[in-house]
Amino acid sequence: PKEGRVGDQDIVDHIRSAVLMQRLTPNTKLPEITLGEVFGVSRSVVRKALTRLDAEHVIDQRPNQVARVRAPSIEETRETFSARRLVEGEIVALLAGKLETSAKKALQQQVVLEKEAYENNDEPARIEHSLNIHHLLAECSPNSIMGAMLTDLVLRTSIVIALYKPPSLLSCYLEGDHAQLLSHLVNGDAEAALKLKQSGDAKLPLWSPCYRFSRHIGLANTSGAPRGAACESTSLPITAVSDECR
């Protein structure tokens, strides 16, 4: 693409999507010059994108170092999932019986689309619709502060799942889980909605004790351009950390 046709938001969207779909692994280097060449933009545009990705916890930026895809520690991973369970659980309890008609319809549509994507083995679409469900819950939250917190935590936990999910776990999907949650919200059953969120971990398989990435994936995979620099391998012990659904 020519200079001016791609903005920093485009780069943010491409890199975030590449991380969520496991095309970029933990500790992958993101050199400004390489990204500029891949996306056809100046380094100033790349810097803006990297700053935003750092704020979203997708990458790590440190002074005088090349930006890298994040590699969260086991302790940070546990704390992130714990925070999301607490915040989202409180939000669904507050939302029970208070969903507006427009929100109900929007959630119903995403639940149906997520199920269809899963049945069609379309994992990118399934992730998109699942994220949409949780973002809608955040937007509908009666407590706007908690809603903002959930929006951030949904992205952070989704990135952790994408970074460290074993290849054998093809999809993070529980049949009927979101449909059941929506039913509880519509029926005003706050206790059942909260219980469903809190019991989600027990229904899902635990990650293996240690999963090592050794794939070599180019930065150009984020945009469909020719292959770029290869990533480095990394590993993280994640014993007893549950693969909570996005």
Side-chain angles (χ1 to χ4, degrees), residues 74-75 77-78 206-211 236-242:
I74 183 173
E75 187 61 28
T77 299
R78 284 173 170 159
L206 297 180
W207 278 325
S208 58
C210 182
Y211 174 49
L236 175 73
I238 34 184
T239 306
V241 179
S242 175

Side-chain angles (χ1 to χ4, degrees), residues 227-242:
R227 286 179 176 268
C231 71
E232 298 178 1
S233 65
T234 186
S235 63
L236 175 73
I238 34 184
T239 306
V241 179
S242 175

Side-chain angles (χ1 to χ4, degrees), residues 172-214:
C172 174
Y173 180 75
L174 293 175
E175 184 73 35
D177 212 46
H178 285 148
Q180 189 177 358
L181 175 61
L182 180 56
S183 175
H184 292 327
L185 295 179
V186 171
N187 294 330
D189 194 338
E191 183 177 351
L194 178 58
K195 184 177 181 180
L196 181 64
K197 290 303 302 175
Q198 292 177 336
S199 64
D201 285 349
K203 301 177 185 178
L204 290 159
L206 297 180
W207 278 325
S208 58
C210 182
Y211 174 49
R212 176 173 293 276
F213 287 95
S214 59

Side-chain angles (χ1 to χ4, degrees), residues 124-188:
R126 188 204 66 76
I127 290 175
E128 178 184 355
H129 297 307
S130 183
L131 287 172
N132 287 342
I133 290 170
H134 295 285
H135 286 152
L136 282 167
L137 291 175
E139 291 173 10
C140 295
S141 173
N143 185 313
S144 60
I145 303 299
M146 284 189 176
M149 291 171 64
L150 179 57
T151 297
D152 176 66
L153 289 167
V154 165
L155 178 59
R156 293 182 69 167
T157 52
S158 296
I159 288 170
V160 169
I161 290 171
L163 291 177
Y164 297 119
K165 183 184 73 175
S168 58
L169 186 59
L170 299 179
S171 180
C172 174
Y173 180 75
L174 293 175
E175 184 73 35
D177 212 46
H178 285 148
Q180 189 177 358
L181 175 61
L182 180 56
S183 175
H184 292 327
L185 295 179
V186 171
N187 294 330

Side-chain angles (χ1 to χ4, degrees), residues 92-111:
V92 297
L94 291 172
L95 269 177
K98 299 177 183 177
L99 274 181
E100 296 183 0
T101 302
S102 58
K104 175 184 172 182
K105 290 182 178 179
L107 284 166
Q108 286 175 330
Q109 181 183 37
Q110 292 302 316
V111 168

